Amino acid sequence: MKTFLVVSQIIYLICMIPWLFVWGISFMAFDAGISGEAIVLVSIISVYPLVAIACSLIAWILHRRRTRTAVIINLIPMVWVLGIGIPLLVITLR
């Protein structure tokens, strides 16, 4: 259990490097003007570090009493990693 938490959180930490680049270029969504879609896009991308830190803390708090809940909560940041990472990987490998 502890190994899973440590490995997954190291992956989240490594993903902060490309996240910084993606976060920086996400502001280009405002090039066409301020819109609701641009605000939502930038907000979703911007919240990743907060979600990763919060879920990591909660998972470590719960890892002894409720292991299954801790695993599920720890996998929430994976939505961002896969949701942004897979399209970027596909675009890069084309």
Side-chain angles (χ1 to χ4, degrees):
M1 175 64 183
K2 288 182 183 180
T3 306
F4 171 76
L5 290 176
V6 170
V7 169
S8 63
Q9 291 168 11
I10 288 172
I11 291 170
Y12 299 150
L13 183 63
I14 291 170
C15 288
M16 291 287 183
I17 296 166
W19 169 85
L20 189 59
F21 174 73
V22 170
W23 181 69
I25 64 171
S26 71
F27 287 97
M28 285 195 280
F30 295 113
D31 285 351
I34 296 175
S35 67
E37 293 88 2
I39 293 171
V40 169
L41 175 72
V42 173
S43 298
I44 289 173
I45 292 173
S46 298
V47 78
Y48 170 71
L50 300 174
V51 170
I53 292 169
C55 289
S56 296
L57 289 174
I58 293 169
W60 278 107
I61 291 169
L62 295 176
H63 87 280
R64 289 190 184 181
R65 292 178 285 152
R66 307 188 71 170
T67 57
R68 186 174 184 167
T69 305
V71 168
I72 291 170
I73 289 174
N74 194 51
L75 288 175
I76 292 173
M78 194 60 71
V79 172
W80 277 264
V81 173
L82 296 176
I84 295 172
I86 289 176
L88 285 178
L89 187 63
V90 169
I91 290 169
T92 302
L93 295 177
R94 275 192 172 176

